[in-house]
Amino acid sequence: MFFVDLSEWTRENVILRMIAAFVLGALIGIDRGAKRRGGGSRTDAAVCLGAAIVVMTGQYMEMRYQGTTDVARMASQVVSGVGFLGAGSIIVSRHQVKGLTSAAGIWVCACIGLAVGIGFVDGAVLATLILLGGLHILPMIEAKAYKYSRYMVLQIEAAEGGTSIELMRKLRADGCIVDLFEVDRAGTDTKSFLITLTVCIPRRLNREQYLESLMEIGGVLSVDSM
């Protein structure tokens, strides 16, 4: 408890817990929805409110049927069970995994709902503020850190499979370190290949100029960096 204690079972506290859980979940959902990410305000608000109701139900059962229930056990089921929502928000497309932050946000919403449901509202508010602040500040820090990173994820479309051999020869000759290298068909209706690789480029090489040099390899149709 920091500033306010809503753990006592009263009509006013129960109403305030439900409203607080819904509002905090909606705030997180609105932030994700504004970036066109995740399930949006309705999903996060529903998860947060639902988690609060579960732990409040456990508290009610503890008072009504003393010694026959365990609030912590009901809360643990929410933390583990909400994973199916997070899994539904994760998308794997062309070797890219999207939605992990949204899945984590849904899980955190459930945890915030549990905190509100048991009366730890000020802690839930603090967690919400930290989460929202982190989601906005961390991308700026990452952008500056990644700017100086020598690791790159490349997707190279090649006209023929033999191009991958020439590509590997050039990367090794230039002193590049390859962490991942995969070759797949670019599409069912095409004969081209899609090469996906994670590579560390030496600091002596300019990244933009080096990507242009990869286009000079015979059979390379396009080079994209992620």
Side-chain angles (χ1 to χ4, degrees):
M1 181 180 68
F2 296 130
F3 306 107
V4 61
D5 183 10
L6 297 179
S7 60
E8 186 179 353
W9 188 269
T10 65
R11 180 185 303 174
E12 293 77 14
N13 283 355
V14 169
I15 294 174
L16 286 175
R17 290 188 215 176
M18 290 187 181
I19 294 175
F22 187 86
V23 171
L24 295 178
L27 286 176
I28 296 174
I30 290 172
D31 178 76
R32 300 302 297 162
K35 300 176 182 178
R36 300 299 187 269
R37 306 282 180 86
S41 60
R42 290 174 294 180
T43 299
D44 286 349
V47 169
C48 197
L49 178 60
I53 291 175
V54 168
V55 76
M56 288 167 63
T57 301
Q59 184 183 8
Y60 173 80
M61 293 174 63
E62 179 66 25
M63 294 186 304
R64 186 69 173 82
Y65 311 101
Q66 294 184 4
T68 60
T69 185
D70 185 357
V71 178
R73 181 177 299 177
M74 295 185 67
S76 66
Q77 296 302 313
V78 173
V79 173
S80 59
V82 77
F84 81 95
L85 281 176
S89 65
I90 299 175
I91 301 174
V92 180
S93 176
R94 288 194 174 186
H95 304 284
Q96 285 184 297
V97 180
K98 301 179 181 179
L100 288 176
T101 303
S102 298
I106 292 174
W107 184 81
V108 172
C109 277
C111 297
I112 290 173
L114 292 174
V116 173
I118 204 63
F120 189 36
V121 177
D122 43 6
V125 171
L126 181 60
T128 301
L129 294 177
I130 292 175
L131 175 62
L132 292 177
L135 290 175
H136 286 271
I137 296 174
L138 286 178
M140 294 185 290
I141 298 176
E142 286 180 342
K144 292 184 179 180
Y146 296 165
K147 181 179 179 180
Y148 300 99
S149 175
R150 307 307 298 177
Y151 282 87
M152 301 178 65
V153 178
L154 304 179
Q155 282 193 338
I156 301 175
E157 186 176 359
E160 53 188 23
T163 305
S164 60
I165 299 176
E166 297 298 326
L167 176 63
M168 284 297 297
R169 287 176 179 172
K170 176 174 176 57
L171 292 173
R172 290 172 178 171
D174 295 335
C176 298
I177 301 175
V178 179
D179 281 354
L180 173 69
F181 193 95
E182 295 182 356
V183 181
D184 294 315
R185 284 282 185 183
T188 56
D189 299 332
T190 62
K191 295 183 179 180
S192 59
F193 293 84
L194 186 64
I195 304 172
T196 303
L197 66 154
T198 302
V199 59
C200 178
I201 299 177
R203 294 191 178 277
R204 58 182 174 81
L205 300 176
N206 181 276
R207 298 203 307 178
E208 287 70 21
Q209 293 179 355
Y210 192 70
L211 292 181
E212 294 179 359
S213 69
L214 296 180
M215 287 292 298
E216 300 175 0
I217 300 176
V220 172
L221 303 177
S222 64
V223 178
D224 294 321
S225 63
M226 297 179 291

